[in-house]
Amino acid sequence: METLLDQKLVSSWFDVQSVPQTYVHPPEKRPGKLNVPLCNNIPAVDLGSHDRRDTIHRISKASEEFGFFQVINHGVPIKLVDDTMSVFKEFHALPQKDKAIEGSKDPSRSCKLYTSSENYANEEVHYWRDVLTHPGHPFEHYMQFWPEKPTRYREVVKAYLEEVRNLSYVILELLAEGLGIGTEFFCGGLTESPVLLSNHYPPCPDPSLTLGLTKHCDPTLITILLQDTEGLQVFKDGNWIGVEPVPSAFVVNIGYVLQMISNSKFKGAEHRVVTNSRVARTTIAYFIHPSNESLIAPAKTLCNPPLYRSMKFKEFLRNFKSKAANAEAVLKVISLSSS
């Protein structure tokens, strides 16, 4: 029930002595070793570099090997980056009833606050996070449903989304050049429906028993993430490695949609989020989604042969959600049969 949202939010009761049973994951899905090594091989790409060919090479290589890279000197004002992180921390620190009200204004539920996942009522086990999400474009339709607390939320977040949208075009142009598919490829419908999502992971009494997010790959072209502390881990060569927070940098990861378009030249990286017992972790993710009617298919120049089915984005997203982001199940749906 919506009226109980403020009671369910992890941030309203996290200060407990033990992890509630509904948040305890089965032994085979628990995080295991929490202190995984931080990976120094995921490059921090300097977007201010004047050597465009080298920048394209570094981004393409990282997208092939890891599905992840970080960007520095990205052009988004550092003060705006800091202000945006502060605003979301302030939002998640609001009294529970205020958050529940601010996150439930939109009758279409595009702008909303939820806990664990959108499938909370039916999932077997919950995740140690609260989430605020709303469309990142167009502003004129959705801003009326954005939070009004903190008071500067709309002003700061609007400016941030404008800057990150511009940054996304820069990154996608570089990726398109790396694939040899033309710099205009990702203009239009393929980037038409971005979504902002702020995760809040309160301190957890026993991080070994639960997860902030389970192993998954994003249903996006790319995701541009701002993180404030450790917790993000990438699955690489059978091991989990930590993605080290770099001050004022953005983490960029490849999603399923770009994996399909690139015909697997770029790999969507599986990743998860672990909790910690010391501090809260807040992140701001910018999901670059195509419009619902956009056709997702391998680029023609990369089909030798095509590895994925053609499908509208709304069909892909429906399948993604119905498979609970399970990588094997998702790949079975989107891949062309080899038989």
Side-chain angles (χ1 to χ4, degrees):
M1 289 173 61
E2 195 62 37
T3 54
L4 297 178
L5 175 62
D6 58 322
Q7 297 169 28
K8 290 191 298 189
L9 292 171
V10 181
S11 53
S12 68
W13 53 260
F14 71 90
D15 193 13
V16 290
Q17 296 301 308
S18 61
V19 176
Q21 199 59 39
T22 51
Y23 286 79
V24 175
H25 287 242
E28 68 277 9
K29 293 189 177 180
R30 291 176 195 171
K33 186 181 177 186
L34 288 165
N35 297 319
V36 300
L38 291 174
C39 183
N40 298 320
N41 296 332
I42 297 176
V45 180
D46 184 352
L47 293 185
S49 168
H50 296 296
D51 190 340
R52 186 175 179 85
R53 183 177 294 181
D54 179 65
T55 301
I56 291 169
H57 172 73
R58 285 167 59 78
I59 281 180
S60 298
K61 189 167 184 285
S63 299
E64 291 173 18
E65 293 183 2
F66 290 95
F68 266 85
F69 53 92
Q70 303 205 50
V71 292
I72 58 173
N73 294 326
H74 40 65
V76 182
I78 301 306
K79 184 178 186 304
L80 180 59
V81 170
D82 293 342
D83 284 351
T84 307
M85 180 59 79
S86 294
V87 160
F88 279 105
K89 287 184 175 182
E90 288 168 28
F91 174 84
H92 289 294
L94 286 171
Q96 308 307 320
K97 281 189 165 48
D98 286 356
K99 279 191 287 194
I101 292 168
E102 294 297 325
S104 57
K105 298 174 181 177
D106 183 358
S108 74
R109 300 283 293 148
S110 292
C111 308
K112 62 189 170 189
L113 175 70
Y114 60 89
T115 193
S116 182
S117 82
E118 293 181 86
N119 193 36
Y120 181 92
N122 300 312
E123 62 194 11
E124 292 178 10
V125 64
H126 301 317
Y127 299 102
W128 198 267
R129 68 164 186 163
D130 296 333
V131 182
L132 174 68
T133 184
H134 56 69
H137 185 82
F139 299 129
E140 56 272 15
H141 180 70
Y142 293 106
M143 252 183 98
Q144 61 183 314
F145 302 122
W146 291 9
E148 294 176 277
K149 294 180 182 179
T151 52
R152 59 186 186 139
Y153 183 98
R154 294 184 178 183
E155 175 191 355
V156 170
V157 173
K158 180 176 184 286
Y160 177 82
L161 285 172
E162 287 171 340
E163 290 285 350
V164 177
R165 185 170 171 82
N166 290 334
L167 172 62
S168 73
Y169 292 142
V170 171
I171 294 170
L172 286 168
E173 190 175 288
L174 293 166
L175 288 166
E177 282 194 54
L179 290 169
I181 57 176
T183 56
E184 302 295 310
F185 190 92
F186 295 114
C187 295
L190 287 174
T191 54
E192 197 171 278
S193 303
V195 173
L196 177 136
L197 192 144
S198 175
N199 293 295
H200 181 68
Y201 308 95
C204 176
D206 190 345
S208 70
L209 297 178
T210 191
L211 285 163
L213 263 177
T214 193
K215 179 181 177 184
H216 70 287
C217 178
D218 290 343
T220 61
L221 260 175
I222 60 172
T223 302
I224 301 176
L225 180 80
L226 183 64
Q227 60 171 350
D228 67 339
T229 191
E230 294 169 18
L232 176 62
Q233 297 181 349
V234 182
F235 197 60
K236 175 88 164 77
D237 299 329
N239 295 302
W240 288 105
I241 53 176
V243 180
E244 183 174 9
V246 175
S248 301
F250 289 104
V251 179
V252 182
N253 66 273
I254 307 301
Y256 276 123
V257 176
L258 186 50
Q259 178 173 316
M260 293 168 72
I261 289 171
S262 72
N263 208 35
S264 268
K265 182 174 182 183
F266 294 163
K267 293 289 198 318
E270 289 186 295
H271 53 287
R272 70 179 185 183
V273 176
V274 297
T275 62
N276 73 77
S277 58
R278 304 177 312 281
V279 294
R281 179 174 183 265
T282 300
T283 64
I284 306 161
Y286 184 76
F287 280 12
I288 301 178
H289 282 170
S291 63
N292 278 334
E293 298 301 318
S294 289
L295 190 67
I296 311 303
K300 288 184 171 59
T301 55
L302 302 174
C303 291
N304 191 24
L307 302 177
Y308 299 100
R309 294 173 49 211
S310 298
M311 63 180 69
K312 288 185 177 180
F313 179 67
K314 64 182 179 183
E315 180 190 352
F316 162 77
L317 198 58
R318 184 173 65 247
N319 281 308
F320 176 86
K321 290 181 176 179
S322 71
K323 307 302 180 190
N326 178 280
E328 286 185 15
V330 173
L331 284 172
K332 277 185 181 177
V333 171
I334 64 177
S335 299
L336 284 169
S337 174
S338 57
S339 57

